[in-house]
Amino acid sequence: MREHRATRGAALPPVTPGSLLVAAPGLGDPNFARTVVYMIEHRPHGSLGVVLNRPGPAAVREVLPRWAGLTSDPGSMFVGGPVEAQTALCLATLRTGETGRGLAGLMPVRPPVQLVDLDSDPASLAPRLRGLRIFAGYSGWDAGQLGGEIARGDWFVVPGLPDDLLTVAHDRLWERVLRRQGIPLALLATFPLDPAHN
């Protein structure tokens, strides 16, 4: 996809843990069309994130029953991306005023968001967690790959909010994230699924 008019000439924002990749309207890859990806790691050797707006068919209670009581609605395993679909990753948001210090099983991504070790004890973490999501698979990029896709205009890099992770309105997350960016990106929120029907 070519660089989109809305970002032409603009400096590319840095990707950091906690930032969002928002798929450009023309990104045709079915794994990523109209997705919002939460970035967990971005380093010279590669990048890793999870798709926030693709709930899968399996319920957490069927796959990881120990964690079902802490899982935010709708209680599904989300499809984190096309890489290692049999791998589960968990992201949680801490309650206001809480930190992960002294708790085994948590690794900060961008506070209050934490990466959770699913082998840890859910009962010890429960009092400090506001909610969590579990993802089957993840989205990964090799060294330089993501930078090339961003420069080509496939992704918009925007700040993430903790509520993006736990939203129950995941089916409208792509539009909502674009709208809150202001002009010109906000205009893309109304971009039709099929431009031929515009």
Side-chain angles (χ1 to χ4, degrees), residues 38 92-96 98 109-114 129-130 162 165:
Y38 185 90
T93 300
L94 296 174
R95 294 180 187 277
T96 302
E98 293 287 353
V109 177
R110 184 180 193 122
V113 176
Q114 307 277 319
L129 300 184
R130 192 173 133 220
L165 177 65

Side-chain angles (χ1 to χ4, degrees), residues 63-97:
V63 182
L64 293 161
R66 292 186 325 133
W67 293 93
L70 296 177
T71 305
S72 300
D73 287 340
S76 302
M77 296 281 293
F78 275 59
V79 178
V83 183
E84 295 189 33
Q86 302 305 311
T87 298
L89 289 176
C90 179
L91 289 175
T93 300
L94 296 174
R95 294 180 187 277
T96 302

Side-chain angles (χ1 to χ4, degrees), residues 11-149:
L12 297 175
V15 178
T16 59
S19 60
L20 301 178
L21 301 181
V22 182
L27 182 59
D29 181 337
N31 293 307
F32 294 112
R34 301 245 169 169
T35 58
V36 177
V37 177
Y38 185 90
M39 294 307 296
I40 296 170
E41 184 176 84
H42 180 65
R43 297 186 182 182
H45 64 270
S47 306
L48 180 144
V50 289
V51 174
L52 295 181
N53 56 336
R54 292 257 170 100
V60 171
R61 70 177 178 276
E62 297 165 358
V63 182
L64 293 161
R66 292 186 325 133
W67 293 93
L70 296 177
T71 305
S72 300
D73 287 340
S76 302
M77 296 281 293
F78 275 59
V79 178
V83 183
E84 295 189 33
Q86 302 305 311
T87 298
L89 289 176
C90 179
L91 289 175
T93 300
L94 296 174
R95 294 180 187 277
T96 302
E98 293 287 353
T99 70
R101 271 187 238 109
L103 274 182
L106 295 181
M107 184 177 84
V109 177
R110 184 180 193 122
V113 176
Q114 307 277 319
L115 188 62
V116 179
D117 178 354
L118 290 168
D119 290 328
S120 59
D121 176 22
S124 68
L125 300 178
R128 295 199 188 175
L129 300 184
R130 192 173 133 220
L132 61 81
R133 280 270 155 77
I134 301 178
F135 302 87
Y138 61 90
S139 305
W141 294 265
D142 290 328
Q145 183 183 3
L146 179 57
E149 292 180 12

